[in-house]
Amino acid sequence: MIRPIRQAAVLGSGVMGSGIAAHLANAGIDCLLLDLVPERLTAEEEAKGWTLDHPSVRNRRAADAVARLTKTKPAALYDDAFVRRITPGNLEDDFAKLSGVDWIIEVIVERLDAKKALLERVEQVWRPGTVVSSNTSGISVNAMAEGRSAAFRAHFLGTHFFNPPRYMPLLELIPGEATDPRVVNGMRRFCERKLGKSTVVAKDTPNFIANRIGTYGILVTLEAMAEGGFTVEEVDAVTGHAMGRPKSATFRTLDLVGLDTFVHVADNVHANVTDEAEQAAFRTPEPLKAMVAAGQLGEKTGRGFYLKRRTAEGGSEILSLSLKTMDYGPQKKVSSAALEAAKQAKGAAGKIKALLAGGDRYAELAWTLLKKTLLYSAAKIGEIADTVQDVDDAMRWGFNWELGPFEVWDAIGLKRSVERMEAEGETVPAWVKAWLVEGHESFYEQGDEGPRYANAGGFRRVERAPEAISLSRLKAQGRTVLANSGASLIDLGDGVACLEFHSPHNAIGGDILQMINRSVEEVRRGFDGLVIANQGKNFCVGANLMLLLMEAQDEEWDEIDGIIRLFQDTMYRLKRFEKPVVAAPHRMALGGGVEVCLPADRIVASAETYFGLVEFGVGLIPAGGGCKELALRAALGTLPEDDLQPAIQRVFETIGMAKVSTSGHDAIRLGLLRPTDQVAMHPDHLIYDAKQAVLKLAQEGYEPVREERFRVAGRDGGAVLKLGAYLMKESGYISDHDYLIASKLAHVLTGGDVPAGTLVTERHLLDLEREAFLSLCGEPKTQQRMQHMLGTGRPLRN
């Protein structure tokens, strides 16, 4: 039970402090960002005649950090305008303001003495009931709280955000011995719902959960690498996608984190555990010490295990480090039967099993690394976390593993792998052996109410927030209403159905369009509304470009015309449906994926939604209603007596420059989402939020959207757009083919060859879209662009 958190204060404006403040601002929370008062003036401040007492000097550290937030790459803010929610200050003049906030987060240097001294000061201005937390990566929460009052300690805990706070989902909550459980539960609920974080509760032990296991895994990798004579490239080939882990694998990850940071984390465990074997496991290897001493810290210094440099030809190349010679050299391609088998396998579990079965030295390396990590994870249950679920969640959310350690163990066969471990002389934790003796053969099983995990006394149901709807779980429960190869209609309960895409890359083809039409009929008969969502890697990357290119190369113009008509008619029908429709895009929603969303009554987008009409990049324009919808919104968003041209110009630039939002909020700024659309903070709650939006629309007495004529800018407006594009062509900014596409886009957006102010129907613009699209499909340069995108994943400039 905590007070509602509307204002917060972050103490410390370094990379983590400013990043946390930015994410609080993303969540709509006003935030103080305080740091130390500078001890000396900069040359610029001296030139202005300022003194150390000048407010801008005293607030400089925090103010500079706030200013950097709008320049950070990747962006820390969902929208640069959110920076106004952060107020910079200093730890002297503004300290008393802490009594007016609801949450105080300490993010200063990782030294116990400094943290204790600051918390002592905080308590002097602390308002009872205010939550105070430390964003420590491994310092004891109980040690920090020593000497504080009982009331203060009841509201004090660790909140370990992972860097960068906007993008990394994991937040470890670390209660101290005196932390009120109601505060822990309240903060967990708040951080999940308001901040969109995925939380686990960790015990107050060195490095908590994710960093404890992740650091151990990297150290045993370095050990096995030295023993087996593996190169940096070989280790990364094994410990990346082949093991269900990120592409950055081991050494690219270390370069991103910073080798000095990693050594600090490892040293923290080494210094604070008592078991000699564990101390030895966390001893920093000599090559790593040498690299830190030499300033080879990774990306922050430009060199680590990898070095990126310019070539004589003006390009760039990435070299890798040899730990034998400590010199950089060209990377060598790594291939083997085991790695190839893993590449061809489907899903993380399939890849890991294929890798281990490969029978070569890379398979042996993978087994060694997995074996040690699994055994260590099992040995720490009860010490660093209470449950296998907490450990698995922490590794998936904090290190981006596709499967946590115990999920991996199930995937490779618990009983068989334990037998192999013992045959190799390994010590298997007693509780794992007892679990097997009881007749269990996995740590997880599918129960009647969903997945369950191994726990003392038997299986225990995996706990998830009620907002975390799982489509796969619903399908396992028999809630599929309709299905074909591209999509399914699933009963979400409470009279709401969900249309889920599951084609390759969720690309839109005839099967998905067919299922949309069938779903409309089914929802009309038996539901109150429809959600369009899925839980794939991306919402939808667009239409099936390969099919379209094949038809264009074969000059099957009637086929292409039929496909586009079907897409347009399906979207038109969806928009006119008499029951509410809510689209819920996440991550990449591009081209046709956007056009599926635009007809919906509401869009509830995940905060991390990259939304854009990108057809221009493959030599085309949107033809599934995208041009029509944005032109319609431009017309409806202006008064009849207002000039329509500026609004159409913005639409022309958005489509013509293939702009893609950097977040759900940014999609609103670009005009791709409406101000009435919503942004969901937690990706796992997206479908729940969309379902609630459907129910709200239904309860309010939903009325279907009626078609009305709307005005267009006409031939004069089109001429203005074409003139702008012509000037860009003449200046060398765009190619002749770009100009051709831009001219056709201008013709469509302005309603064609009609006078300015003419009232047209939506069907009129749809016909113009289709005609322009078909003509562009016949252009050789457009076909070249499509071919290049399919082959390289990048647009071609021709």
Side-chain angles (χ1 to χ4, degrees):
M1 188 176 296
I2 59 172
R3 185 167 58 234
I5 296 176
R6 298 186 178 91
Q7 292 184 306
V10 176
L11 312 183
S13 66
V15 172
M16 277 305 297
S18 60
I20 291 170
H23 196 61
L24 293 173
N26 286 335
I29 298 168
D30 292 328
C31 182
L32 282 171
L33 181 62
L34 309 183
D35 210 323
L36 295 169
V37 175
E39 297 178 351
R40 57 181 60 87
L41 297 172
T42 65
E44 184 181 1
E45 289 166 345
E46 287 180 344
K48 291 178 179 178
W50 290 354
T51 69
L52 287 173
D53 292 328
H54 193 286
S56 295
V57 175
R58 295 179 70 79
N59 293 342
R60 184 214 309 150
R61 285 192 168 99
D64 286 353
V66 171
R68 285 193 296 270
L69 288 175
T70 57
K71 304 177 181 67
T72 302
K73 300 295 181 186
L77 295 161
Y78 291 149
D79 187 321
D80 285 350
F82 293 172
V83 78
R84 294 193 293 266
R85 296 170 180 167
I86 306 173
T87 303
N90 67 75
L91 288 166
E92 292 180 17
D93 305 329
D94 302 299
F95 208 75
K97 294 178 182 178
L98 300 184
S99 63
V101 304
D102 307 304
W103 182 15
I104 301 168
I105 312 171
E106 171 273 307
V107 200
I108 65 169
V109 62
E110 283 283 87
R111 281 200 349 250
L112 178 59
D113 60 337
K115 291 179 182 291
K116 289 185 69 173
L118 180 59
L119 292 174
E120 183 178 2
R121 287 187 63 202
V122 168
E123 186 167 13
Q124 293 170 11
V125 298
W126 176 69
R127 177 175 50 149
T130 297
V131 175
V132 182
S133 69
S134 172
N135 182 66
T136 177
S137 60
I139 294 179
S140 170
V141 172
N142 287 310
M144 280 188 269
E146 287 177 359
R148 306 279 56 79
S149 68
F152 186 93
R153 285 186 287 121
H155 289 81
F156 178 68
L157 73 163
T159 48
H160 181 208
F161 288 83
F162 274 60
N163 191 36
R166 168 182 165 178
Y167 298 96
M168 291 301 292
L170 180 62
L171 173 60
E172 291 177 322
L173 300 179
I174 309 100
E177 293 172 354
T179 309
D180 189 331
R182 293 174 298 178
V183 171
V184 179
N185 291 334
M187 284 299 292
R188 186 169 198 173
R189 177 71 176 166
F190 169 81
C191 291
E192 288 180 349
R193 193 68 187 145
K194 186 70 174 177
L195 301 186
K197 307 308 289 184
S198 298
T199 63
V200 297
V201 176
K203 293 181 177 289
D204 188 20
T205 56
N207 291 9
F208 314 127
I209 303 174
N211 275 347
R212 182 75 166 268
I213 293 172
T215 303
Y216 176 85
I218 290 173
L219 288 169
V220 298
T221 300
L222 287 164
E223 180 184 27
M225 175 185 184
E227 291 178 355
F230 292 96
T231 65
V232 165
E233 303 98 299
E234 287 176 321
V235 170
D236 274 358
V238 172
T239 59
H241 288 325
M243 285 177 65
R245 298 180 186 177
K247 183 180 179 181
S248 56
T250 298
F251 294 113
R252 290 188 192 279
T253 296
L254 278 173
D255 279 355
L256 288 168
V257 169
L259 273 65
D260 54 338
T261 301
F262 176 80
V263 168
H264 170 77
V265 172
D267 286 348
N268 187 55
V269 180
H270 178 75
N272 289 287
V273 296
T274 57
D275 181 80
E276 291 184 4
E278 191 168 15
Q279 282 182 337
F282 280 88
R283 187 175 292 116
T284 303
E286 290 303 321
L288 216 52
K289 289 182 181 179
M291 292 177 69
V292 172
Q296 295 168 269
L297 306 181
E299 285 211 348
K300 67 176 79 174
T301 60
R303 59 179 57 209
F305 286 99
Y306 292 96
L307 168 66
K308 186 175 182 179
R309 71 177 184 185
R310 288 282 179 186
T311 64
E313 296 76 23
S316 64
E317 63 178 346
I318 298 176
L319 308 179
S320 62
L321 182 69
S322 165
L323 293 186
K324 291 181 179 178
T325 65
M326 299 305 287
D327 292 325
Y328 292 96
Q331 294 186 68
K332 295 179 181 178
K333 185 175 177 59
V334 181
S335 62
S336 82
L339 291 171
E340 186 59 31
K343 184 178 180 179
Q344 299 301 321
K346 301 293 184 183
K351 289 181 182 300
I352 295 169
K353 286 191 287 187
L355 177 62
L356 294 180
D360 58 26
R361 62 194 296 261
Y362 299 118
E364 285 301 316
L365 175 62
W367 166 249
T368 298
L369 302 182
L370 280 176
K371 173 180 66 174
K372 290 181 179 296
T373 303
L374 300 182
L375 289 170
Y376 184 76
S377 300
K380 295 296 114 182
I381 293 294
E383 179 183 338
I384 65 174
D386 282 328
T387 71
V388 300
Q389 180 190 341
D390 285 335
V391 171
D392 282 347
D393 286 348
M395 298 314 298
R396 281 189 283 100
W397 297 333
F399 277 74
N400 291 323
W401 291 8
E402 291 187 53
L403 299 173
F406 297 97
E407 293 169 320
V408 169
W409 217 331
D410 280 358
I412 65 175
L414 175 58
K415 184 178 179 181
R416 183 172 61 254
S417 60
V418 166
E419 289 172 353
R420 180 177 175 183
M421 291 172 186
E422 291 188 314
E424 293 173 356
E426 302 291 349
T427 300
V428 177
W431 76 267
V432 175
K433 294 173 71 173
W435 185 252
L436 287 168
V437 168
E438 290 173 13
H440 303 296
E441 295 193 359
S442 65
F443 291 113
Y444 290 90
E445 71 170 16
Q446 188 65 35
D448 293 338
E449 298 180 357
R452 306 190 299 176
Y453 63 86
N455 195 57
F459 283 103
R460 179 178 175 183
R461 186 160 64 91
V462 170
E463 296 295 337
R464 290 282 182 259
E467 296 91 347
I469 292 174
S470 167
L471 295 181
S472 61
R473 186 158 61 242
L474 290 176
K475 288 193 286 188
Q477 294 170 356
R479 302 278 283 276
T480 302
V481 181
L482 298 171
N484 67 14
S485 59
S488 297
L489 186 69
I490 303 162
D491 184 356
L492 296 179
D494 302 315
V496 181
C498 177
L499 177 65
E500 175 203 30
F501 301 165
H502 46 67
S503 64
H505 304 295
N506 287 339
I508 296 172
D511 49 2
I512 286 180
L513 296 174
Q514 179 193 55
M515 185 54 65
I516 293 174
N517 283 293
R518 290 179 62 194
S519 295
V520 165
E521 292 302 322
E522 190 65 34
V523 171
R524 176 179 287 120
R525 287 192 296 268
F527 293 89
D528 297 324
L530 176 67
V531 168
I532 301 176
N534 64 73
Q535 293 174 324
K537 181 179 179 181
N538 296 299
F539 175 75
C540 177
V541 297
N544 188 329
L545 190 61
M546 175 64 79
L547 175 63
L548 180 62
L549 176 60
M550 291 171 59
E551 298 287 10
Q553 289 175 334
D554 291 341
E555 299 185 357
E556 296 286 355
W557 309 123
D558 288 342
E559 288 292 327
I560 296 175
D561 182 70
I563 292 169
I564 300 306
R565 283 181 185 274
L566 176 61
F567 198 163
Q568 291 182 339
D569 291 347
T570 301
M571 296 305 103
Y572 187 88
R573 186 183 189 196
L574 200 60
K575 185 173 182 178
R576 296 292 176 289
F577 188 38
E578 62 267 27
K579 295 189 177 182
V581 176
V582 173
H586 68 279
R587 297 196 67 81
M588 285 199 292
L590 305 175
V594 170
E595 292 178 301
V596 166
C597 296
L598 293 179
D601 300 290
R602 291 284 186 280
I603 297 175
V604 180
S606 173
E608 297 299 341
T609 297
Y610 317 124
F611 201 74
L613 293 165
V614 296
E615 287 85 351
F616 205 100
V618 291
L620 298 167
I621 68 165
C627 295
K628 178 264 295 183
E629 280 297 317
L630 294 195
L632 172 62
R633 291 181 186 183
L636 297 181
T638 54
L639 297 174
E641 63 271 19
D642 288 346
D643 183 6
L644 182 57
Q645 194 69 33
I648 287 295
Q649 179 73 38
R650 287 193 293 273
V651 172
F652 180 68
E653 291 174 1
T654 298
I655 299 176
M657 297 175 69
K659 292 182 179 180
V660 178
S661 72
T662 58
S663 69
H665 291 282
D666 191 48
I668 297 174
R669 182 189 66 81
L670 290 174
L672 294 166
L673 297 185
R674 300 157 291 199
T676 53
D677 291 327
Q678 299 169 226
V679 177
M681 288 295 289
H682 201 303
D684 290 350
H685 300 175
L686 179 61
I687 293 177
Y688 174 88
D689 289 346
K691 176 183 173 181
Q692 298 310 304
V694 167
L695 292 172
K696 187 173 186 292
L697 287 168
Q699 290 162 3
E700 291 173 348
Y702 177 76
E703 290 290 334
V705 177
R706 295 180 181 178
E707 177 165 0
E708 297 180 12
R709 292 175 177 266
F710 61 98
R711 66 188 178 120
V712 292
R715 65 176 73 92
D716 293 341
V720 172
L721 299 182
K722 292 174 187 176
L723 175 61
Y726 176 78
L727 293 175
M728 290 187 70
K729 178 175 75 75
E730 290 300 296
S731 301
Y733 290 109
I734 64 175
S735 68
D736 289 344
H737 193 55
D738 289 328
Y739 176 69
L740 173 65
I741 306 165
S743 298
K744 290 183 179 294
L745 176 62
H747 183 76
V748 173
L749 290 176
T750 55
D753 189 18
V754 297
T758 298
L759 297 178
V760 301
T761 64
E762 292 183 40
R763 289 289 189 185
H764 174 74
L765 251 67
L766 289 174
D767 289 342
L768 293 178
E769 276 187 359
R770 193 173 64 257
E771 291 165 7
F773 188 91
L774 280 166
S775 68
L776 287 169
C777 282
E779 292 288 337
K781 288 189 176 181
T782 284
Q783 293 180 20
Q784 290 170 12
R785 290 190 178 194
M786 294 164 70
Q787 185 75 56
H788 191 268
M789 178 62 74
L790 288 167
T792 69
R794 295 189 300 272
L796 172 67
R797 183 82 183 274
N798 63 348

